[in-house]
Each structure stands twice: as structure tokens, then as C-alpha cells.
Amino acid sequence: MALSNPAAQPSIRRIGVIGGGQLAWMMGPAAQRLGLDLVVQTPNEADPAVAIAQAAVLAPVDDVAGTTRLADQCDVITFENEFIDCAGLQPLADRGVIFRPGLEVLDLVLDKRHQREFFARIGLPNPRYAVLEGTESEVELHQKAAELGFPVVMKTRRLGYDGYGTVVVRTPEDLVGTWNGFERNPVLLEEFVPFTKELAIMVARSATGEVALYPTVETVQVNQVCRRVVAPAVVNPWVAETMAQLGRTLAEQLDLVGIVGMECFLTEDDQVLVNEIAPRTHNSGHYSLDACATSQFEQQLRAVSDLPLGSPQLTCAQAVMVNLLGLAESEASHQQKIAQLQQRPNATLYWYNKGIRPGRKLGHVTLCLGVEDDPVAVAEEVEARWYGEA
Ligand code: ADP
């Protein structure tokens, strides 16, 4: 007897995307290739993805009325931004609106504490941490930090991104001041991991349980913001294998339909500790646009619209992605640097057309490399051209 697949949805053609920044913008070409329409929910007409979408609901990403209008126009809703109002959206899910990934996945990642508790439940190793609700005494704060050992890392539990909301506390003297800086909101206090590398992996999963694992990449952060990604990461084979296993476990245990990014620390003794996850496309996967058979953006669209997943294989020996953050320079100077970088062989530059602000992610460049190339040297050269560093 043939079993019907209850998860498969009849012909999903119109995809609602909550968020209209660069991640949704980069879905544009893939959606076109796959014959899918994109409708984005984003606050401003000038947001990058409005230009590539078939329609836009101009509303903040956590505006439930906006998502209700989005749902009326779409077969499925997916995310490029997780800062939504999960509880507010639940009535939509209850009346049959399909969210992929499901709201329970979004709810889980919205609070770093819930993420950590989930990691523990499913056996994903992660840094030691303590929870602060904000009501503790300063004595309790000091006790918790002392148990972890200095330095400790204080992190906002909700709405942190790109290191906003993450502070390394080096000495006990800085503890209370840092906590006050967080207005004593709920935070995680975490051991500082003296990592040798930061690693990341993208994992896609379909409603039928098909899983596509991208290569493990190395990410380099400057001031807690991703500066560079090297694919594949140069690690022991068992580290890459561990990343793949943890990534698969994560996607399966989340019952994910969509794509998830997993960011990890690699310790000196080659242990992988999971730092955080994002149930959407991720900066660490941008290289896939130019260096993989199927980009992370196409893969997300495939997963949420019940198309077979594509191959996540690299199509070149290695690749490097460098983020182009806003500089304290004129627009003309940014444009001049863009023109220079575009001339570099094997380089593809993406400029998101966002307002220039120092430190803001404005674009990225990917370079596909051969086996003989040194990705770090290439990245350093590109970074020197953009950031003017030696
Ligand atoms: P966000 O959610 O804002 O991206 P993260 O938790 O990913 O914040 O932290 C940003 C960066 O800060 C990480 O990529 C890493 O470089 C550094 N960092 C965060 N937590 C730790 C830690 N426990 N030990 C060492 N470095 C850390």
C-alpha cells in the first residue's frame, strides 16, 4: 500500500518571508529560478528585499497584523529574521497557516537560555553557563561568575545579534557595572572559551526528513562581528565529522523544515562546543551562493516549498567570503573600493543597497579558490583593501 506523505503540501508557489533585509534579498534569484513568488514583511520600503519581491507587507517583523496580511497572500511563511512575536502568531498557526520552520523552533531560539536547555536535552555539547533572571543579589552574581571562572561572558538572553548584547567581563570588579549596563535584564553568564577556531555549518531539512549538510566552515569575528568565512574549514577529519553529526542531530531534533546555521567553538583538544543556532540562512553560509552547487538561499526555498533538496557540495576547492562593513568614510569612498574589489579575478561582490553606517553589514565579497591558493592570504588582502589594515 502506498503511503501518502502527510507533511507534503500541495503546490507551494508563493512564499512569505518575515524580514526584508539582505538575507531575503539574496533569495531573489533562486526564487525566480524555481518559479516561486516572494512576499516580504519588512518595515521600510527601502529595505533590500522589497526590490526583488513580488509584493511587500510594510510592517515590523514582530507585527502580528502584518503577518496576518502576509499569510493571506502566501502558501507558506518562512523567516529571514527570528525576532518575531511567537505567542502572537500562534492563533495563525492554529487556524492552519504553515510556518516553516514551525513557531516552536523560533520560540526556542529567541531565548539563549531555552537554546542551551535544548542543547542539553539533545546532547549537543556547549559552554558552561549560569542563568541570571535579574532579581539576584550582587553576592549571587559574584558567586555564579566565580564558579565559572574569569573571564566570563555576559549575554542578553533575547534579541542579541552580531555581538550586540555580548560582553566579555575580565575581572570581578567589572561584573556589577556590566550587569547594570544590561539594566539587570535576564542574561546568561557563560565561561569564556579560549577557542582555537570558530566553526559553523548550515543544515537544510525537508518535510520528508531529507537532510543536506553543507561543509564545515571557519568563521573569524572582529569585535564579535563576522569578518571572514573560509570554506571548508581546515580541521581534523573527525572534527568535520562531529560538526556534521551535531548538525544533523540538531535539524532532526528540531523537526526542522527549512535551514539552520549552527555556530561552534573548537577547543585546543578538538572538542566542538555549540555556541548558538539560527533557524534561517546565515552570514556564515553566504559563500554558498558562488561556491556550492545549491546556495543556502535556494536550499531554504526548496525545503519550505516541498521541492527536493539540492546538492550542498562545493563547486571549487575552497572559497573565502569577506564581509564589507560600513566605514567612517564617504559614500564615494565606499563606491571606489567596491569598484576595485570587483576587478579581482574570481571575486563576486554583493552590495545590499542599505544606508551606509559605520559597522553595518553592507555587502560581502566571495572568492572561489583553487587547491593551491592560500585563503587566509587572499582574505587578508581583500580586508586590507576594504578596511585599510596592513
Ligand atoms: P550574537 O548572538 O550577538 O552573535 P554570540 O554569542 O555569537 O553573539 O557572540 C559573538 C562572538 O563573541 C562569538 O562569535 C565569539 O567570537 C565571541 N564569544 C561569544 N561567546 C563567547 C565565549 N563564551 N567565549 C569566547 N568568545 C565568545
Side-chain angles (χ1 to χ4, degrees):
M1 187 180 68
L3 291 173
S4 67
N5 167 21
Q9 300 299 323
S11 65
I12 293 176
R13 298 293 309 276
R14 231 168 138 80
I15 317 289
V17 184
I18 298 189
Q22 63 264 23
L23 300 178
W25 177 69
M26 286 185 267
M27 288 176 187
Q32 210 171 22
R33 270 197 309 279
L34 297 172
L36 301 169
D37 287 345
L38 295 180
V39 185
V40 296
Q41 175 179 344
T42 196
N44 302 307
E45 183 112 49
D47 292 339
V50 175
I52 57 91
Q54 271 64 46
V57 172
L58 295 180
V61 294
D62 62 354
D63 183 284
V64 173
T67 307
T68 308
R69 295 205 298 282
L70 184 71
D72 289 342
Q73 300 177 48
C74 300
D75 304 316
V76 67
I77 293 181
T78 191
F79 305 89
E80 74 115 53
N81 184 318
E82 61 271 32
F83 296 144
I84 56 162
D85 175 0
C86 279
L89 294 181
Q90 192 54 49
L92 288 184
D94 293 342
R95 70 155 219 239
V97 172
I98 303 163
F99 291 96
R100 287 181 162 177
L103 294 180
E104 60 293 345
V105 174
L106 277 290
D107 192 39
L108 182 82
V109 297
L110 269 165
D111 187 322
K112 282 189 201 283
R113 175 187 184 171
H114 297 155
Q115 279 196 37
R116 291 302 169 93
E117 288 169 351
F118 178 69
F119 296 164
R121 280 204 300 282
I122 67 169
L124 260 53
N126 59 96
R128 289 182 303 122
Y129 69 96
V131 174
L132 286 170
E133 296 295 347
T135 49
E136 295 81 355
S137 67
E138 289 178 12
V139 174
E140 283 174 285
L141 168 69
H142 277 282
Q143 268 170 0
K144 289 190 180 206
E147 277 164 25
L148 293 165
F150 283 87
V152 288
V153 185
M154 195 179 282
K155 294 183 174 182
T156 181
R157 274 170 47 187
R158 298 180 76 88
L159 305 180
Y161 74 101
D162 283 351
Y164 298 111
T166 295
V167 177
V168 178
V169 188
R170 305 223 164 257
T171 64
E173 290 70 44
D174 296 333
L175 204 49
V176 172
T178 308
W179 201 29
N180 289 338
F182 281 87
E183 295 174 350
R184 302 202 179 191
N185 280 318
V187 291
L188 282 194
L189 210 53
E190 187 174 288
E191 68 170 317
F192 180 88
V193 181
F195 54 79
T196 53
K197 283 186 170 133
E198 289 191 79
L199 303 177
I201 188 168
M202 300 303 305
V203 187
R205 186 170 176 273
S206 71
T208 57
E210 190 188 359
V211 171
L213 289 156
Y214 282 82
T216 289
V217 300
E218 177 176 359
T219 70
V220 176
Q221 272 57 235
V222 175
N223 297 328
Q224 295 169 341
V225 180
C226 177
R227 169 65 65 87
R228 164 199 320 169
V229 173
V230 175
V234 181
V235 286
N236 281 320
W238 66 85
V239 170
E241 184 52 36
T242 302
M243 287 290 291
Q245 274 172 14
L246 295 176
R248 178 183 288 275
T249 300
L250 174 67
E252 287 175 347
Q253 293 297 320
L254 286 172
D255 198 15
L256 182 85
V257 181
I259 193 158
V260 64
M262 185 179 83
E263 295 179 81
C264 302
F265 302 122
L266 184 66
T267 64
E268 209 169 5
D269 56 352
D270 270 351
Q271 261 193 74
V272 172
L273 299 176
V274 180
N275 173 24
E276 64 171 353
I277 58 171
R280 51 165 168 78
T281 55
H282 193 260
N283 197 170
S284 66
H286 288 0
Y287 75 94
S288 65
L289 271 174
D290 304 290
C292 292
T294 311
S295 77
Q296 61 168 349
F297 304 99
E298 176 169 341
Q299 204 73 284
Q300 179 179 13
L301 291 171
R302 286 180 166 276
V304 303
S305 58
D306 286 333
L307 293 168
L309 299 185
S311 161
Q313 297 288 316
L314 282 169
T315 51
C316 49
Q318 8 176 24
V320 144
M321 190 260 353
V322 175
N323 268 340
L324 307 177
L325 302 187
L327 307 165
E329 294 173 16
S330 67
E331 179 158 1
S333 164
H334 285 80
Q335 293 303 335
Q336 218 172 23
K337 289 181 172 182
I338 291 170
Q340 274 178 8
L341 285 177
Q342 278 171 328
Q343 279 164 17
R344 214 181 173 295
N346 304 327
T348 314
L349 190 140
Y350 296 82
W351 190 248
Y352 312 147
N353 288 313
K354 303 199 296 194
I356 293 177
R357 246 196 348 250
R360 193 177 194 199
K361 285 179 181 169
L362 298 178
H364 74 264
V365 59
T366 305
L367 299 107
C368 294
L369 306 176
V371 260
E372 71 289 352
D373 292 314
D374 175 357
V376 174
V378 171
E380 282 173 351
E381 187 212 311
V382 169
E383 288 166 22
R385 286 199 202 183
W386 186 260
Y387 295 98
E389 295 154 3

